[in-house]
Amino acid sequence: MESGDFIVVDSELKPLGPNESGELCLSGNQLTPGYWMNPTKNESSFFFYNGKRYYRTGDLCFVDNDGDLQYIGRIDFQTKINGFRVELSEIEHYAAESLNGNNICVCVAYQNAIGTTELGLMIQGGQTINTEAVVDYIREHLPPYEVPSCVKIISNLPLNSNGKIDRKEIITQAVADYFRTTSEYKIEYIVSSDLNRTIETAEYIASALDLPIHTDTRLRECNNGDLAGILN
């Protein structure tokens, strides 16, 4: 960038290394002085690093090994699963990558029947898509708590009045599909129950921290989704 500069930062505005995803921030002569008469917005959108003023774009990106900037999605699409921050755009990125970029993939977070947060992945396409292979690919690249609980193939994703993907409508559909029990509807692929995913997440944490894990009798004594009841 001849007239400017960019960095990719974490949530604490610290620059990240190659292949680490974070927020894209821009600097340069063409950077706006700020939002008109909106000091609160300016404070949250601009910051200084090494004497340069940067603007937080809200775009989730990473710099690859060749030094090229790769776009993943928007940082706005975030949720928490078992206390972990999850970037929905990152899940969508790997889902689309597993399909060679030929299909639009949208991941949403919604409340299930017992009030915990679930991840649902919707793929625009035909019924020939191997959803199990998509999930396996996501599982290879992301931790267990970022693996969608269910995947649904849809011929056309809903759009809002501006012609953009309507995530609110997708969430509404996901909730409705979760509660529907009649034989007329079948989710293409169920990845795991809340309990199984909790076990997977606990095993992931235990392995990272070298902690003992109990997934037999203790599981029957703890609530579904209770990591504290599994990790000792």
Side-chain angles (χ1 to χ4, degrees):
M1 297 176 65
E2 297 181 359
S3 61
D5 185 25
F6 74 87
I7 54 175
V8 178
V9 301
D10 61 16
S11 59
E12 298 180 352
L13 303 181
K14 296 179 180 179
L16 297 170
N19 299 310
E20 293 183 306
S21 60
E23 184 175 7
L24 173 64
C25 300
L26 303 177
S27 179
N29 296 332
Q30 298 181 13
L31 194 65
T32 176
Y35 293 93
W36 176 250
M37 297 183 69
N38 195 338
T40 302
K41 181 69 173 176
N42 288 331
E43 185 177 355
S44 63
S45 300
F46 299 91
F47 68 99
F48 282 89
Y49 176 74
N50 280 350
K52 293 183 180 180
R53 184 168 173 264
Y54 285 87
Y55 170 69
R56 303 179 63 177
T57 66
D59 291 328
L60 184 66
C61 303
F62 69 92
V63 178
D64 62 21
N65 292 326
D66 295 324
D68 295 326
L69 186 66
Q70 302 291 337
Y71 175 78
I72 299 176
R74 291 289 298 171
I75 278 216
D76 309 346
F77 305 139
Q78 295 180 343
T79 188
K80 279 195 172 183
I81 301 293
N82 288 334
F84 293 94
R85 188 181 69 175
V86 173
E87 303 284 358
L88 300 180
S89 297
E90 194 169 27
I91 300 171
E92 294 169 353
H93 167 75
Y94 286 113
E97 189 172 84
S98 73
L99 298 167
N100 299 315
N102 295 324
N103 302 83
I104 300 175
C105 303
V106 178
C107 186
V108 296
Y110 63 95
Q111 297 295 308
N112 62 20
I114 62 173
T116 57
T117 302
E118 290 278 348
L119 295 176
L121 179 67
M122 286 197 178
I123 303 173
Q124 182 170 288
Q127 297 299 319
T128 57
I129 294 175
N130 185 341
T131 53
E132 185 171 357
V134 173
V135 172
D136 286 342
Y137 189 86
I138 294 173
R139 186 178 283 113
E140 289 175 3
H141 292 82
L142 297 174
Y145 56 83
E146 293 194 46
V147 177
S149 297
C150 65
V151 179
K152 180 182 179 182
I153 299 173
I154 187 170
S155 56
N156 291 291
L157 291 167
L159 304 178
N160 59 26
S161 57
N162 295 322
K164 297 182 179 180
I165 294 174
D166 193 339
R167 289 178 176 268
K168 290 183 179 179
E169 177 59 27
I170 291 176
I171 292 174
T172 299
Q173 290 186 20
V175 172
D177 292 340
Y178 187 94
F179 287 107
R180 191 179 300 179
T181 57
T182 59
S183 59
E184 67 184 72
Y185 177 80
K186 178 179 178 295
I187 290 180
E188 282 73 13
Y189 181 59
I190 300 295
V191 180
S192 65
S193 67
D194 284 345
L195 186 58
N196 288 335
R197 189 171 62 187
T198 299
I199 294 174
E200 290 179 356
T201 303
E203 289 173 341
Y204 178 80
I205 298 172
S207 175
L209 301 179
D210 194 25
L211 294 173
I213 184 169
H214 304 274
T215 57
D216 42 24
T217 57
R218 183 165 301 215
L219 273 178
R220 291 191 288 271
E221 299 170 357
C222 68
N223 293 327
N224 193 14
D226 183 10
L227 286 175
I230 301 175
L231 293 170
N232 187 7

